[in-house]
Amino acid sequence: MVGDDRVRVEDDMSYRYGRSWHGVLRRPIQEITEQQARARFTDGPSFSVSKVADPAGGVVPDYTLLIDPDGMYVGAEFYDAFGSRVKRYHFDEDAGRPGSLFLREVVVTVYPDGQDRWLSLRGSTAHTSFLFQPDGRARSYAAVRGRPAAKVEEFTGVDVSAHWVPIITFGDWDRFGEHREPDLPG
């Protein structure tokens, strides 16, 4: 522990808990202690955990996980050097495999060339979303600011075997904070 019990330090990295990560203030919104996060993991409500190099704050996290009670949903967010969200993974429970989560969606966001500060998602120039189904169907949605329509494509026969992962347990953050580059259709 460093300073108080809101921060857990492990291998020169810290884990900070809260409702979600604030990109401008560079700290958790409504920060909570690890003990409170443990209670929320079991009883709710949802919470976030961010892995940061400096427990005092002011840095961009390696990642932030948004976690529902009992780990039935995990959203993993990744950032650029300015703290703008550039990638998000959505894992959720699927009745077909109890005890596992399925990587259901990958969203990649692009910001303007020459970006020199934090930008919200509204400041992005484009984003692509890939939505996967356990039966190998997938859908991509690509939108570029200023273009009249998004490009939507449907796929079948996509290998989603690597999309299944054992359900998250408390403290198992780094496994879900890994950058995963699943085989994307198209």
Side-chain angles (χ1 to χ4, degrees):
M1 300 286 172
V2 172
D4 60 38
D5 65 351
R6 291 180 300 169
V7 180
R8 179 171 63 105
V9 177
E10 188 174 287
D11 299 325
D12 296 328
M13 296 301 278
S14 302
Y15 298 91
R16 296 182 69 180
Y17 302 91
R19 189 183 79 209
S20 60
W21 186 260
H22 195 292
V24 175
L25 298 177
R26 296 188 176 185
R27 68 175 190 231
I29 297 171
Q30 297 176 355
E31 191 161 10
I32 61 174
T33 67
E34 181 177 345
Q35 182 179 0
Q36 290 169 312
R38 281 184 184 278
R40 286 185 179 194
F41 189 80
T42 304
D43 301 323
S46 301
F47 69 98
S48 73
V49 58
S50 299
K51 184 176 183 178
V52 295
D54 181 0
V59 298
V60 174
D62 287 5
Y63 61 79
T64 296
L65 303 180
L66 305 164
I67 304 168
D68 278 359
D70 292 325
M72 297 304 176
Y73 167 83
V74 177
E77 297 182 345
F78 302 91
Y79 310 93
D80 63 15
F82 306 103
S84 302
R85 189 172 82 200
V86 295
K87 193 183 311 180
R88 186 167 186 180
Y89 301 141
H90 297 268
F91 297 87
D92 62 18
E93 183 183 37
D94 188 277
R97 288 201 190 174
S100 294
L101 294 179
F102 183 73
L103 176 57
R104 177 107 26 216
E105 186 176 25
V106 176
V107 180
V108 178
T109 305
V110 178
Y111 296 91
D113 290 339
Q115 173 192 1
D116 61 356
R117 61 185 172 83
W118 175 86
L119 293 174
S120 71
L121 293 174
R122 287 185 298 232
S124 68
T125 56
H127 74 274
T128 302
S129 172
F130 293 94
L131 185 63
F132 299 93
Q133 299 300 326
D135 65 3
R137 289 179 294 131
R139 180 176 169 217
S140 73
Y141 174 92
V144 177
R145 186 175 301 278
R147 293 211 178 148
K151 179 180 179 182
V152 178
E153 295 180 277
E154 305 262 342
F155 304 91
T156 58
V158 176
D159 180 8
V160 294
S161 57
H163 288 236
W164 293 100
V165 295
I167 200 164
I168 196 169
T169 57
F170 191 89
D172 185 22
W173 315 138
D174 289 342
R175 185 165 57 92
F176 283 83
E178 294 175 356
H179 287 274
R180 300 167 187 268
E181 299 305 328
D183 291 333
L184 300 178

